[in-house]
Amino acid sequence: MDYEPPFLDTYKTLLQENTGDSKDDFCSMLETFELPMIDLGRLNLEHHEREECLKEITETAMEWGFFQVVSHGISQELLEKMHSEQMKVFYEPFVKKCTEAVFGLSSKTYRWGNPCVTNLRQLSWSEAFHFSMTDISRMEQHKNLRECIEAYATRVANLAQSLAEILGQKVNINSSYFRENCLLKSASIRLNRYPTCPLSPKVYGLVPHSDTSFLTIVHQDQVGGLELVKDGKWVAVKPNPQALVVNIGDLFQALSNDVYKSIKHRVAAAEKVERISTAFFYLPSEVAMIQSCNYREFNLKEYIQQNEQDVKQTGNKVGLSRFLV
C-alpha cells in the first residue's frame, strides 16, 4: 500500500541484527486496568457533588498521573469526524506525506519511525502529523481536517484550562497563571496512526516517554495499546472511545513541586489492526517561567533545548532531573 511508511526496508539491517533481543521490557501481555473515570458533569451540580468531583480530580491525578473524563464538552460527532478526516490524510501516498505538499506546511510536520535509532528499543512503529496551533490557520489543503482541528482544539483547550485551574488550586497556583501563560496559540496537537506491525512483540508503537506539557488530553479509538507505569510496573489501559484520557506532563510536575507526577507511558505496536489517536498538548508560551522549590527556574524553550541536546548525545530524553535544585 503506497501510504505505509517503509519500516521494514528502512530498518531492515537493524531488525536483522536484533532478532534475538529479549522481549522482557517490550510490550507484551500485561494486566489491564480501566483508568479512573470522572464525570465532569458533576461540576455543574449542587455544592456537595461539585466538591466531591473536585476532590476526585485532584486525588486521582496525584495517585495515577492519568485519568479519563466524560461529559467533557466535545461531542461524539466531532470526535468521529476528527477520526475520519485523520484517516484521509494518513492514507495519502507516503511520498506525498514526506513533502510540504500535504498541508502547505513544513515537511517536519510529518514524522515517522526514528531517524536517529540505534536499537529496537528506540524505534516507534508509528506515524504522526504534529502541529503547533499557529500552523493550523496556514493549512492550505485538507480544509475539512483544518476545520475539525480548530473546533476540537478550541473545546479541548477550554477543558484543559479548567482542569489545570482545578489541579493548580490544590497546590496554591493562582488560576491567572494558566489564563495568562497558556493561550491556545501556545498549544500543539498531534495526530497519531499506528500501522499494523509484523514484529509487534519486539518493537514499540511509541517508545516509553513522559510528556513535556502541563497537561495532555488524548482521544483514542477502541483498539487499545496505551500502557503506563503504575506502582512500579507497566500496565495496559482499557480503551474507551467515549472518554478523553488526561495525563500530567513534566511542566506540571515541576510547577507543583512534585505533588503531581508526569508518568512514563508508551504505546504497544498494533499487531492486527491499526490504531488512531489525537493528542492535545496544553503548553505555556516558550518564555513563561516555571517556578518552584524543587527545580531551578526555567521556561519551555530552555526545557525543549535541553531535551533535544540530551537526545542527540544519549539517545534519550533526560527530562526534569536536569533542572533539580
Side-chain angles (χ1 to χ4, degrees):
M1 291 173 283
D2 66 352
Y3 59 82
E4 293 288 11
F7 286 102
L8 290 174
D9 289 340
T10 302
Y11 300 109
K12 182 178 180 180
T13 301
L14 182 68
L15 293 168
Q16 289 174 339
E17 291 175 350
N18 290 273
T19 52
D21 268 9
S22 168
K23 299 179 184 178
D24 290 348
D25 197 35
F26 278 64
C27 304
S28 55
M29 294 299 293
L30 298 174
E31 186 175 1
T32 299
F33 281 79
E34 188 161 351
L35 284 178
M37 178 73 75
I38 298 174
D39 184 348
L40 297 181
R42 293 159 57 205
L43 294 174
N44 299 317
L45 300 179
E46 61 183 25
H47 177 75
H48 173 73
E49 193 69 28
R50 173 181 167 80
E51 290 302 309
E52 283 297 311
C53 186
L54 293 172
K55 181 181 179 182
E56 188 176 341
I57 291 170
T58 55
E59 290 185 350
T60 302
M62 287 189 289
E63 180 184 353
W64 283 78
F66 272 79
F67 56 94
Q68 54 186 342
V69 296
V70 292
S71 301
H72 42 62
I74 297 90
S75 69
Q76 194 63 27
E77 180 184 6
L78 178 55
L79 294 175
E80 291 173 359
K81 190 174 181 182
M82 272 288 297
H83 180 101
S84 175
E85 293 300 325
Q86 279 183 238
M87 295 307 300
K88 290 177 185 177
V89 73
F90 278 123
Y91 284 171
E92 293 274 13
F94 174 75
V95 292
K96 184 177 180 182
K97 289 185 287 190
C98 286
T99 70
E100 297 186 15
V102 176
F103 293 108
L105 301 173
S106 167
S107 57
K108 293 181 180 180
T109 300
Y110 178 66
R111 307 169 184 187
W112 69 283
N114 180 354
C116 302
V117 64
T118 58
N119 62 72
L120 287 188
R121 293 174 188 272
Q122 297 172 341
L123 177 58
S124 291
W125 200 281
S126 55
E127 59 177 337
F129 290 100
H130 193 108
F131 310 92
S132 68
M133 290 312 302
T134 53
D135 287 336
I136 305 302
S137 62
R138 298 189 292 109
M139 286 172 57
E140 297 174 356
Q141 300 180 36
H142 297 279
K143 180 182 177 182
N144 288 342
L145 177 60
R146 184 186 73 200
E147 291 176 350
C148 278
I149 292 175
E150 288 175 336
Y152 177 79
T154 299
R155 290 166 175 77
V156 177
N158 290 334
L159 171 62
Q161 180 175 303
S162 297
L163 291 172
E165 290 177 0
I166 290 168
L167 295 168
Q169 186 175 16
K170 175 71 175 180
V171 289
N172 299 315
I173 301 170
N174 195 305
S175 61
S176 63
Y177 177 88
F178 300 107
R179 295 174 188 173
E180 293 169 3
N181 295 305
C182 300
L183 303 179
L184 180 58
K185 65 181 181 181
S186 301
S188 63
I189 195 164
R190 184 180 177 103
L191 314 180
N192 300 298
R193 175 178 175 264
Y194 300 87
T196 56
C197 175
L199 303 164
S200 60
K202 298 183 67 62
V203 298
Y204 298 117
L206 190 61
V207 297
H209 65 286
S210 63
D211 291 343
T212 293
S213 60
F214 274 129
L215 294 174
T216 302
I217 299 181
V218 175
H219 179 251
Q220 58 177 338
D221 59 21
Q222 75 286 352
V223 174
L226 176 63
E227 300 176 347
L228 57 90
V229 175
K230 180 73 170 76
D231 298 328
K233 64 179 182 179
W234 286 99
V235 299
V237 173
K238 184 179 179 180
N240 183 335
Q242 279 70 51
L244 297 177
V245 176
V246 182
N247 67 274
I248 303 295
D250 298 346
L251 300 186
F252 219 139
Q253 176 170 334
L255 194 65
S256 70
N257 281 306
D258 298 326
V259 172
Y260 302 117
K261 298 292 197 303
S262 181
I263 302 300
K264 188 170 284 189
H265 53 287
R266 67 191 185 190
V267 177
E271 183 176 4
K272 297 179 180 178
V273 59
E274 64 187 1
R275 176 180 185 267
I276 294 292
S277 68
T278 306
F280 177 88
F281 301 98
Y282 184 64
L283 292 159
S285 70
E286 285 192 337
V287 297
M289 301 310 297
I290 310 297
Q291 297 176 301
S292 62
C293 299
N294 296 346
Y295 300 89
R296 65 177 176 84
E297 189 177 48
F298 66 95
N299 59 35
L300 175 61
K301 183 176 182 180
E302 184 179 0
Y303 192 69
I304 290 174
Q305 289 174 342
Q306 181 65 60
N307 286 337
E308 290 175 346
Q309 181 180 328
D310 288 334
V311 169
K312 287 180 181 179
Q313 293 179 351
T314 70
N316 295 295
K317 169 186 170 181
V318 177
L320 284 176
S321 61
R322 290 288 195 199
F323 297 85
L324 285 167
V325 173

